Amino acid sequence: MRRREVLAFLLSLFPGAALADSREGKESKREKEEEKKKRKREDEAEEKTKPGASSEDKKESPVFYGQVEAVQGTTLWVAGRAFKVDSPLLPYLAPGMVVQVQGKSVAVVSPGAWAYYQGSGEALGLGRGPVRAWWKEGLLWRVWPGGSQETLLVARFQHGAWQGVPPGLPLRKPPGEGWWLVWLEGGKVKGLKRLDD
C-alpha cells in the first residue's frame, strides 16, 4: 500500500477525530473572544463609576425647585417631596423659602439675602422669652416663639458687609466671605464659625 492509501485507511477508521479537533479549536477561539469582550465591557463600566470620571460619563442628578415646607433632621420637605440633604444651613431654613435641591445639596434661591437669629427676644425688641427670627433683605420676615437660650446668628458675609442682617447688631468683620455662625453674648460677638454651604 502506498502512503496515501495508508493515510486514507487510518482516517477512515477515525472519521470524527479530525473533525472534533477542528471544532474544539473553533469553540475555544470563540470562547476566548467572548471572554475578552466581557472583560472589556466590565473595564469600561468600572471606569465610568470611578471617582473623577468625566462629567459626560456620570449621570447628573435632577434639579428641583420649590418652597420649603419643613425641616426634620436631615430631611428637607420641599413642595410635597422629602429630600435627604447635607448642608450646614439646613437647621436654619424656614418654611416659605424657595430652594434648589440637587442630589444631597441645597441652595436658597429666595430670599436672596437672609439671616437667622435665635435667642432672647428682648435683645431685639421682639418680646420676652426665646425666639427664632428670620430677616429677609434686612427686614423682619418670620418670628416664632421658642428655641434655645443660647444667642446665635447665621448670616452671610459678602462684599465686605453682612447680608440680610437687621441694623444695629454689633457684628465684627469675619476672617473671610461666606456663611457664618456667630455666637452673641451681652450684645457682643463671643465666637465665629464658618459654615461651608
Side-chain angles (χ1 to χ4, degrees):
M1 280 185 151
R2 288 193 217 166
R3 185 185 266 183
R4 215 180 258 176
E5 292 173 350
V6 173
L7 281 173
F9 174 72
L10 288 173
L11 283 175
S12 68
L13 292 176
F14 306 105
L19 187 58
D21 282 344
S22 70
R23 281 186 187 156
E24 284 178 18
K26 286 181 183 176
E27 286 177 7
S28 68
K29 186 177 179 181
R30 191 177 306 132
E31 286 173 1
K32 285 179 184 177
E33 286 177 13
E34 286 178 17
E35 183 64 30
K36 204 176 192 181
K37 287 179 184 177
K38 182 180 174 185
R39 270 191 250 130
K40 185 178 178 182
R41 283 191 303 263
E42 288 172 354
D43 289 345
E44 287 173 354
E46 189 176 317
E47 274 298 313
K48 287 181 182 178
T49 58
K50 277 185 182 176
S54 74
S55 60
E56 293 174 7
D57 295 338
K58 291 183 181 179
K59 191 173 181 181
E60 294 257 344
S61 300
V63 179
F64 295 94
Y65 291 89
Q67 278 195 337
V68 172
E69 293 173 347
V71 176
Q72 185 178 19
T74 59
T75 303
L76 175 66
W77 292 89
V78 177
R81 297 184 67 159
F83 296 94
K84 289 284 186 191
V85 296
D86 182 23
S87 170
L89 295 176
L90 188 61
Y92 312 111
L93 301 183
M97 287 180 167
V98 177
V99 294
Q100 169 192 310
V101 181
Q102 183 174 17
K104 289 190 165 268
S105 68
V106 63
V108 176
V109 176
S110 177
W114 62 277
Y116 168 82
Y117 171 84
Q118 168 186 298
S120 167
E122 287 179 276
L124 296 175
L126 300 175
R128 295 182 176 263
V131 295
R132 298 177 68 204
W134 288 265
W135 280 268
K136 173 178 163 179
E137 312 296 338
L139 301 172
L140 191 60
W141 180 51
R142 300 258 194 279
V143 179
W144 293 341
S148 165
Q149 288 294 339
E150 181 178 45
T151 304
L152 58 89
L153 178 82
V154 173
R156 174 183 249 162
F157 188 80
Q158 193 173 30
H159 307 298
W162 288 99
Q163 305 293 306
V165 174
L169 276 178
L171 299 174
R172 66 176 186 241
K173 185 177 176 181
E177 292 195 346
W179 284 96
W180 291 90
L181 175 60
V182 183
W183 286 276
L184 301 167
E185 188 176 285
K188 295 186 179 180
V189 174
K190 183 173 121 181
L192 289 167
K193 179 184 173 188
R194 186 179 182 87
L195 297 175
D196 297 317
D197 57 334

